[in-house]
Amino acid sequence: MKPEPLTLPPSPNWYCARCSDAAPGGIFGFAARTSVFLVRVGPSAGANPGAPPFRVVGELVGHTERVSGFTFSHHPGQYNLCATSSDDGTVKIWDVETKAVVTEHSFHQHTISALHWSPTVKDLIVSGDEKGVVFCYWLNRNDSQHFFPEPRTIFCLTCSPHHEDLVAIGYKDGIVVIIDISKKGEVIHRLRGHDDEIHSIAWCPLSGEDCLPVNQEENSEPDIPNGKLVAETPITKGCYLATGSKDQTIRIWSCSRGRGIMVLKLPFLKRRGGGVDPAVKERLWLTLHWPNNQPTQLVSSCFGGELLLWDLTQSWRRKYTLFSTSAEGQNHSRIIFNLCPLKTEDDKQLLLSTSMDRDVKCWDMATLECCWTLPSLGGFAYSLAFSPVDVGCLAIGVGDGMIRVWNTLSIKNNYEVKSFWQGVKSKVTALCWHPNKEGCLAFGTDDGKVGLYDTCSNKPPQISSTYHKKTVYRLAWGPPVPPMSLGGEGDRPSLTLYSCGGEGIVLQHNPWKLSGEAFNINKLVRDTNSIRYKLPVHTEISWKGDGKVMALGNEDGSIEIFQVPNLKLLCTIQQHHKLVNAVVWHHEHGSRPELSCLIASGSNNAVIYVHNLRTVLESNPESPVTITEPFRTLSGHTAKVTSLAWSPHHDGRLVSACYDGTAQVWDALREEPLFNFRGHRGRLLCVAWSPVDPECIYSGADDFCVCRWLTSMQDHSRPPQGKKCIELEKKRLSQPKPKLKKKKKPTLRLPGKQDSSIVTEDESSRETSGPVENGVSDQDGEEEAQEPELPSPVVSGEAVSCIAVSLGVEKSKVTVNSKATSLKKEPPKEKPEALLKKRKARSMLPLSTSLDHRSKEELHRDCLVLATATHAKELNEDVSADLEERFHLGLFTDRATLYRMMETEGKGHLESGHPELFHQLMLWKGDLKGVLQAAAERGELTDSLVAVAPVAGYSVWLWAVEAFAKQLCFQDQYVKAASYLLSIHKVYEAVELLKSNHFYREAIAVAKARLRPEDPVLKDLYLSWGSILEKDGHYAIAAKCYLGATSAYDAAKVLARKGDAASLRTAAELASIAGESELAASLALRCAQELLLVKNWVGAQEALGLHESLQGQRLVFCLLELLCRHLEEKQPPEVRSPSSVYHQWATGSEGDLMQRVTGVWRNTFSVDTPEQCRAALKKLQDVKYPSATSNTPFRQLLLHVCHDLTLAILSQQTASWEEAVPALLQAVLRSYTSGNFTLMQEIYSAFLPSGCDYLRDKLGDLSLTTAAFKSLEAFFIYGQLYEVWWSLCGPGPESSIWVKSTVPAEQREPEDSASAEDTEPVAAAAQPQSSPPSGPGLRLSGESERLLSACRKLFSERHANLQASQRTVAEVQETLAEMIRQHQKSQLCKATANGPSRDDPGQEAEQAPSRPQSPSREESNAPVSLPELTRRLTEANKKIAEFPESIKAWPFPDVLECCLVLLHIGSQCPGAVNPEMQQQAEELLQKYGHTRAYRRYCQTLHMNFQRP
């Protein structure tokens, strides 16, 4: 028994929640366009041994529009039943064994979007539509019921497998509801969590909620669905529900609690062999499958076509397994729309998936590997071509922008198909294999592209640089002709590629150099044959097998035969009278060589002619011969013939493809029809005879199918005639109807040269009008024009027509534009326009017209009155009265009466609201001035009236323009009014009008175009607009205005107002260009300071480099960068801030900081000589920064400190030591006054690593800087004194220089780390008794003892006296301020006598904090009088005035604070402090510690030292 025919089916429909399903036993079905294709899977498929066990076994045909839903009955005994829903508004029940409709209903008034056959009720089919209506249909009792649970667009629905009355519904806005159909569709649960379309709903295969682990606290929460606490019932108890949404999440819901228990976020998986598509999120479709035998696992699709198996027991880890990890290229390459399980007869658990990549894949759930793939087509099958080298490889040109190469001889897989899409990007309308070169395939597209593909590699195709202007009809390989044939054998290819395009020309392409220009052979034909007339439009080309003769088919029906090498015209066949679609030469390897001169041709007139050119070819006539009689005539087709193919296995046997929907096999020699194939549901476009099997033929049609059929299996021998033809036409018309939207009809034909009147109406509307799944070319950009706009809530209730390509129709766009796409019930768009065109224009004389339609008596009376008035020599009063009453007779009498008629008609127009008609009547009278005046008074001037005003004179025109401009101003049309003022040369008025109404842009354009450049009005416009823009924050445009006004300074200032680094830099550059040097420098410095905040060191230096005067600041920033790097390196790695991008010179660590700074200055900034240092020093000395406080930001403090340090280093470089010491002291003082002790110590360690002796030697006896040096030295000792004290409090590795341990390390007790570094020095010194005494195992090192002996320099009595006087002044001022506050509060209380009572606790609480905090009870009880305070203040100020300026000029460490620290060290290490120094410290504390800050600590210390 011979094998049954094979079908390469159309692609499964896109963007449908359920358009594929499988029944137990091995039958799988998927919706494709308007039908459902059935596939037998498993051992019963009857596949060849070793081939995948599946086969396409049939098609369910009956719907007229896209099938949107498909579902099988899963009940034993009725596995043969299935249901479909369609955009034609019907739901059909089918028997797959008979492929017939059992019953159907059309209850829905809107597009059906969801369908499911209940798994628990054997005859229940549930469907939902875009308006939210749900219908339940019971098949056996032919009963139905409808519900309207939510006014939302339904996307999917699924019936519960555990309870017959529960249905879960997913909506477009992300809501999921569970309804009970036994309670009239009552909503049991409303599940909220998703925020986008619900694509899929899957019930857990096991009832109950014990299969998944749920947190205990979740179980303990009450069940509050819809805000009400409900008791658990058998309906609400016990099942999980999974939903997949476009929001990229999968949610698991508890039906008993009515809320979500688990959320799974889709991962982004990088595609093997390529990058991730950036638009992948926008094309997500998330479908789910919950395996029956694996309740703790869930299968879902992902972004790029991957399948994931989720482990629901470990959801918090987001654990999943990827399908097909072992084999690359087995996954889908685009999003997956449907998943359905199938259990075969041999108990294999399979999973079938449909995808946007047009493949149907079968997966083994045991191994998660792909078992087989069923390819499909997403467009018309335009062209078929068998490879002459790789026998059995069939190339298919498809309208979806891809080329398929089908290995028809594969034993392991009947559907072994490779797809090629790169570089195509359009419908593939022509194909031709190279006769000798393996894998070389030429292709042509509908946009005129010609290219070469190497099917043996993955390289992109070569594309010819010469395009056809229209569709490529045919491709053919043939010998080269001039000019390409000129040259030696090695300089030209043996075969060149010829292409025939829709514009009517044939191009010759060089396959060695497709980037070169292709040649039009018409020039050679014209020159060789001396043709002067216009050449016919070519539509077909065919080379004879020996390559010596070429045939060209033409649009006028003629066929021309040319001889190589110069294309001499041998003969012209004048047989067809319509466009020639196909011309084929008989093969040359038959038993009768003379048959190789046979040429068959088909055209639009349905008759096939065969001509024998043997005589012509052998005789080689000098002049062209005309042939008018055919050798054979093959009649029988009833429509145009699109393709022909001679059998390579027989002599004289021909197969033809025709628009009548059939393929016919002929015995051409006997003119006898042999076999007729009627398996297609559309018009045939191409046909090819198998090179291996004599009975096997392949045909392609516009039904998106390629069929492989055997001649001996056909029931018919000739094309259908009469009733059979009508039935076939009905079958063809059952395909989807084209969209209403029409595109420009090309005057070309398709590969079969179809009439444009038919082709463009059907094909362009089906394939090129997006969005259609079919007709997509480039996979990388495939969905750019096809992104779904899923059903809108406002879809009409009428049946929606599908694009003929519904196979791929993206659900959204097909249904959204239902009114636009409906052909069945909606009128065409052109109809309303036609109706508008047919509507009569309003009559100019409606009153007169109506009076001419009165009764017969009145019309007769009109005639008599008119005759009397015409023939009377003088009109009497009666006649005049009659004429006045019958004003419409003025049309037939004199002019005065006519004017009266026009006046009456005009008043009628004004009363009915049609002033334009009144104006026209006035124009008819010639009273143009009156028309203009009347229109101006009524504010009804129009453009047309003003346009005709010049007819009345220049002055009238000027007046009319001004009046119209005023009218436009009242109507807020200021720009138009200004344009009219310009038309009468009132430029200044127009500019002022625009300016006063804030149309500055337009005003500037007018002024710039019409006024002199130096006119002050223009500058005023720029400045006015700039100030307004500046107020509104549009600084960049405002800067342009100031530049236009030649005020570059203002432009730079306004640009800098935004304050960000980019704006400041631009402003600095602008100021520099304009010559504003000072402004440019200040802005560049601000820009650098802004960049400093984000640690952009490189950008800061670039900004400073914009101006030469900022060379000194560049040195400051360089020092700052090196200091920050130095401080960062000293921090532990775990506490360092994110690393900044430093300069290359900042990363080195050789030498100390001072050496690195001077080295970078010298090498990078070329500051080497003393003169350069002196110049930079002079510039930096002019910059003054305010004193630091405890609130100064750290980065600002660092900048100011580095400025002082830069001054110090530059002074050292110039040997100006008297300037270096004050600068270095200023940096130390900034750190000290801001409370940053660490920074102060870092300055000393970096710039005075050996102490101050070096500076003392350099200074010598310079009395001017002695005081500054003493202060600098004092702060140095002050800092080291604190380090000694902190080392005693918490000894560590860094304190070994100050403290030595006398106890072995293993005997030491662990101590808490001291945190004194985090406290202020004064605060630490103020509480000496809080520090734990040092143990007997610690003693001071020699370095510490030397330091303590140097502390004598800190015990300056003069400084202690000065500081005590300054503290006294501060305390007196604080007391006075407090007294003033108390006085003001008491005055306020008196003024508010009607306010709250004095004993109000709230008032007391408010006053309490304002009372001064007294250090002791005695002080709080002894108020000080104002005269006493004044006396204290005077005495203190007098004391301060007596001190010399050298003492007051430079700050000094707090002497009493140093005394306290020293005494505390002595208490911790007895004998460490010199008794003489200890006594001096105590005396200083007793003498000057009378102020509030030190009084308590002095008393405490005195008590401690008095103890035995």
Side-chain angles (χ1 to χ4, degrees), residues 601-665:
S601 58
S603 70
N604 285 356
N605 60 4
V607 179
I608 301 169
Y609 295 106
V610 179
H611 292 84
N612 191 345
L613 304 182
R614 181 177 180 182
T615 304
V616 175
L617 296 180
E618 290 178 352
S619 63
N620 192 11
E622 291 293 329
S623 59
V625 178
T626 301
I627 298 176
T628 57
E629 293 297 326
F631 174 65
R632 295 288 186 268
T633 301
L634 307 178
S635 301
H637 282 301
T638 56
K640 66 176 68 176
V641 177
T642 57
S643 181
L644 297 171
W646 290 99
S647 169
H649 312 283
H650 309 85
D651 290 333
R653 184 165 293 189
L654 183 73
V655 61
S656 60
C658 180
Y659 254 33
D660 61 10
T662 68
Q664 179 65 42
V665 178

Side-chain angles (χ1 to χ4, degrees), residues 1050-1248:
D1050 293 331
K1053 292 284 286 184
V1054 74
L1055 264 182
R1057 284 192 59 182
K1058 193 168 184 66
D1060 62 292
S1063 300
L1064 289 169
R1065 174 159 186 164
T1066 305
E1069 292 179 1
L1070 192 154
S1072 180
I1073 293 171
E1076 301 287 348
S1077 301
E1078 293 184 6
L1079 179 61
S1082 64
L1083 292 174
L1085 181 57
R1086 283 182 56 193
C1087 175
Q1089 291 172 348
E1090 287 294 325
L1091 293 169
L1092 178 62
L1093 296 177
V1094 294
K1095 296 185 178 181
N1096 189 348
W1097 304 104
V1098 177
Q1101 286 290 354
E1102 289 176 354
L1104 294 173
L1106 295 175
H1107 208 277
E1108 294 181 358
S1109 64
L1110 297 177
Q1111 178 69 12
Q1113 293 293 342
R1114 296 192 71 186
L1115 302 181
V1116 174
F1117 275 66
C1118 170
L1119 175 56
L1120 177 60
E1121 182 175 354
L1122 289 170
L1123 180 59
C1124 289
R1125 177 74 173 179
H1126 176 72
L1127 295 176
E1128 184 177 304
E1129 289 173 350
K1130 288 201 169 188
Q1131 294 178 347
E1134 62 272 9
V1135 299
R1136 292 180 186 173
S1137 58
S1139 60
S1140 307
V1141 179
Y1142 292 99
H1143 284 91
Q1144 186 66 30
W1145 42 259
T1147 56
S1149 59
E1150 63 282 350
D1152 58 19
L1153 182 61
M1154 185 77 172
Q1155 293 174 347
R1156 291 164 61 191
V1157 170
T1158 54
V1160 172
W1161 284 3
R1162 181 172 55 256
N1163 299 328
T1164 304
F1165 299 98
S1166 302
V1167 178
D1168 193 9
T1169 64
E1171 291 76 14
Q1172 293 174 333
C1173 294
R1174 198 170 293 110
L1177 179 64
K1178 185 177 180 181
K1179 292 178 181 178
L1180 288 179
Q1181 284 176 337
D1182 297 334
V1183 180
K1184 302 296 181 183
Y1185 289 120
S1187 302
T1189 65
S1190 59
N1191 295 323
T1192 303
F1194 182 67
R1195 295 195 180 278
Q1196 182 179 341
L1197 173 66
L1198 275 179
L1199 178 62
H1200 296 175
V1201 167
C1202 288
H1203 180 270
D1204 297 329
L1205 292 175
T1206 305
L1207 291 175
I1209 298 175
L1210 289 173
S1211 299
Q1212 292 183 29
Q1213 296 294 315
T1214 58
S1216 301
W1217 301 101
E1218 67 280 1
E1219 296 178 1
V1221 171
L1224 187 57
L1225 176 59
Q1226 187 63 36
V1228 172
L1229 289 177
R1230 290 187 190 276
S1231 307
Y1232 174 73
T1233 54
S1234 65
N1236 200 316
F1237 183 83
T1238 304
L1239 180 60
M1240 183 180 74
Q1241 292 301 94
E1242 287 295 338
I1243 293 173
Y1244 275 117
S1245 64
F1247 295 93
L1248 293 174

Side-chain angles (χ1 to χ4, degrees), residues 130-151:
E130 292 180 350
K131 286 296 183 180
V133 180
V134 178
F135 272 92
C136 295
Y137 177 70
W138 286 270
L139 173 63
N140 295 340
R141 62 190 191 206
N142 195 22
D143 188 16
S144 67
Q145 195 172 4
H146 73 276
F147 313 108
F148 189 56
E150 293 283 338

Side-chain angles (χ1 to χ4, degrees), residues 63 72 191 260 327 358 407 503 546 626 869 1060 1194 1269 1369 1454:
H63 286 292
F72 268 109
L191 308 176
R358 311 189 189 287
N407 183 5
E503 71 274 26
D546 56 8
T626 301
D1060 62 292
F1194 182 67
F1269 175 75
V1369 171
D1454 194 327

Side-chain angles (χ1 to χ4, degrees), residues 1440-1488:
I1440 294 174
E1442 293 174 354
F1443 286 97
E1445 288 299 324
S1446 60
I1447 298 295
K1448 294 186 290 184
W1450 299 104
F1452 197 84
D1454 194 327
V1455 176
L1456 299 186
E1457 178 186 343
C1458 296
C1459 292
L1460 285 172
V1461 175
L1462 187 68
L1463 291 174
H1464 187 69
I1465 293 174
S1467 67
Q1468 288 185 302
C1469 293
V1473 180
N1474 190 332
E1476 182 183 349
M1477 289 182 58
Q1478 187 169 341
Q1479 182 180 357
Q1480 185 181 358
E1482 293 176 7
E1483 290 175 355
L1484 287 174
L1485 283 171
Q1486 293 296 331
K1487 186 174 182 179
Y1488 299 107

Side-chain angles (χ1 to χ4, degrees), residues 72-266:
F72 268 109
S73 168
H74 290 261
H75 298 276
Q78 57 181 39
Y79 292 153
N80 59 314
L81 296 182
C82 62
T84 58
S85 62
S86 169
D87 289 348
D88 60 14
T90 63
V91 174
K92 297 180 184 289
I93 315 300
W94 306 77
D95 187 337
V96 296
E97 294 178 355
T98 63
K99 300 179 181 60
V101 177
V102 177
T103 185
E104 67 177 271
H105 74 74
S106 55
F107 300 138
H108 287 279
Q109 299 298 313
H110 305 281
T111 302
I112 304 171
S113 55
L115 179 74
H116 193 210
W117 196 306
S118 171
T120 54
V121 182
K122 65 187 304 182
D123 65 338
L124 173 61
I125 299 100
V126 183
S127 55
D129 61 33
E130 292 180 350
K131 286 296 183 180
V133 180
V134 178
F135 272 92
C136 295
Y137 177 70
W138 286 270
L139 173 63
N140 295 340
R141 62 190 191 206
N142 195 22
D143 188 16
S144 67
Q145 195 172 4
H146 73 276
F147 313 108
F148 189 56
E150 293 283 338
R152 310 171 192 271
T153 300
I154 294 177
F155 250 60
C156 57
L157 61 81
T158 305
C159 300
S160 170
H162 311 298
H163 196 285
E164 62 182 19
D165 295 326
L166 293 188
V167 179
I169 306 172
Y171 292 93
K172 180 179 181 179
D173 58 1
I175 299 296
V176 179
V177 301
I178 300 176
I179 65 171
D180 187 345
I181 61 176
S182 65
K183 298 180 180 179
K184 299 182 178 180
E186 177 185 344
V187 176
I188 303 300
H189 294 298
R190 186 174 284 104
L191 308 176
R192 299 179 184 272
H194 292 293
D195 54 12
D196 213 335
E197 305 157 358
I198 305 297
H199 292 160
S200 179
I201 297 177
W203 291 87
C204 179
L206 294 184
S207 61
E209 297 187 355
D210 301 327
C211 57
L212 298 182
V214 181
N215 294 336
Q216 191 64 31
E217 55 270 16
E218 290 182 352
N219 286 325
S220 62
E221 293 182 7
D223 308 328
I224 313 178
N226 306 324
K228 298 180 181 179
L229 187 62
V230 296
E232 290 188 354
T233 65
I235 291 180
T236 62
K237 183 178 181 180
C239 193
Y240 288 122
L241 185 72
T243 55
S245 169
K246 192 180 179 182
D247 64 7
Q248 308 173 24
T249 62
I250 303 166
R251 292 180 181 267
I252 310 296
W253 310 85
S254 166
C255 291
S256 62
R257 283 168 285 179
R259 64 181 186 84
I261 63 163
M262 196 180 299
V263 180
L264 304 174
K265 179 75 173 177
L266 288 188

